[in-house]
Amino acid sequence: MHSSSPADAPIVREPLHAPVAHLIRGGVVEGIHYGSVVVLGADGEVQFQLGDIEAAFYPRSALKPVQAVAMLRAGLSLDGDLLSLAAASHSGEERHLAGTRRILDLAGLTEADLRNVPDMPYDPAVRDTWIREGREPSRLAQNCSGKHAAMLWTAKLNGWSLDDCLDPAHPLQQAIAEIVEDLTGQRVAATTVDGCGAPLFSVSLHGLARAVSRIVTAAPGTPEARVADAMREHAE
């Protein structure tokens, strides 16, 4: 654990974004893209920042590696390609569907146990093929199914209920929120529901960068390093 006392939650406010890119055609600025940027050094200190790195925001799928660390800390037994899949937004290719089925098989569960929302594959080419073949949206094809399969197995390993495992008050989600705060070094500012149906925790861009830094620089063998290694070695 990195911190027994996370800092206060980031402020919920309209982010004070700054121009990060100009769209130029023939010497004329046609558009300006606003956002925020933060770069941390190996020591975790801010080396560069632009815009508003302290306002609360929802990291969406960028939080998946943190959620994966939380599940490993809660006893999940995954490594390699399946752990990478659990930390990923996959594109719905057959290898991704097969990987999610393997996680479910290891847990003694089936696709019917998944609680994420049904969807078509994320990859446009794969999605177009599904449409031509008349296939319907499915929970397995939805880009978060690997994470959801891992969540179910984590809950089962701990003897927690499965039907309500996406409830923010569920022990699994409470355990994830605790690790989000530990790795980001700050309290969660707000909680909502992500597009897949899982709880989503609001932190700052600075906090997210701190969490990612702690994952990619972690000591070998730790849950953080296992997630980073899996993602490096199985980027597909």
Side-chain angles (χ1 to χ4, degrees):
M1 305 293 281
H2 294 277
S3 174
S4 59
S5 181
D8 291 341
I11 298 173
V12 178
R13 66 182 180 217
E14 182 178 346
L16 305 174
H17 292 314
V20 296
H22 289 76
L23 179 61
I24 301 174
R25 187 192 306 269
V28 175
V29 176
E30 290 192 317
I32 303 174
H33 294 275
Y34 285 76
S36 296
V37 179
V38 62
V39 178
L40 304 184
D43 58 0
E45 295 299 315
V46 175
Q47 300 296 307
F48 174 82
Q49 68 180 80
L50 180 67
D52 192 345
I53 69 170
E54 302 298 353
F57 84 117
Y58 289 113
R60 301 296 301 274
S61 287
L63 203 62
K64 280 188 173 78
V66 179
Q67 293 168 313
V69 170
M71 288 188 277
L72 292 184
R73 290 194 189 182
L76 180 65
S77 181
L78 280 182
D79 282 293
D81 61 331
L82 297 186
L83 178 55
S84 181
L85 184 63
S89 296
H90 66 71
S91 54
E93 298 169 61
E94 183 53 43
R95 59 185 170 189
H96 302 137
L97 276 57
T100 300
R101 291 192 190 97
R102 285 166 58 199
I103 297 174
L104 291 169
D105 286 345
L106 289 168
L109 301 170
T110 69
E111 181 180 353
D113 294 299
L114 288 171
R115 292 292 176 265
N116 55 313
V117 299
D119 201 357
M120 301 294 283
Y122 187 76
D123 181 86
V126 180
R127 182 173 63 248
D128 289 348
T129 298
W130 274 53
I131 293 172
R132 285 196 300 270
E133 295 174 350
R135 301 174 71 176
E136 298 293 328
S138 76
R139 289 183 168 85
L140 198 67
Q142 198 268 338
N143 74 86
C144 300
S145 64
K147 177 185 77 175
H148 280 259
M151 283 183 171
L152 286 170
W153 193 10
T154 304
K156 187 173 181 180
L157 288 168
N158 284 277
W160 298 330
S161 57
L162 301 185
D163 288 346
D164 61 341
C165 69
L166 299 184
D167 188 320
H170 190 278
L172 170 65
Q173 303 304 334
Q174 291 293 299
I176 291 174
E178 179 182 344
I179 302 308
V180 169
E181 293 188 336
D182 177 46
L183 290 179
T184 63
Q186 59 189 187
R187 300 291 182 190
V188 169
T191 302
T192 190
V193 178
D194 206 347
C196 65
L200 180 61
F201 307 106
S202 181
V203 296
S204 71
L205 185 63
H206 189 182
L208 178 65
R210 187 182 298 115
V212 172
S213 175
R214 288 172 169 176
I215 290 173
V216 301
T217 62
T222 61
E224 292 91 331
R226 287 168 60 190
V227 170
D229 289 343
M231 293 173 68
R232 293 185 188 108
E233 295 166 10
H234 299 277
E236 75 286 357

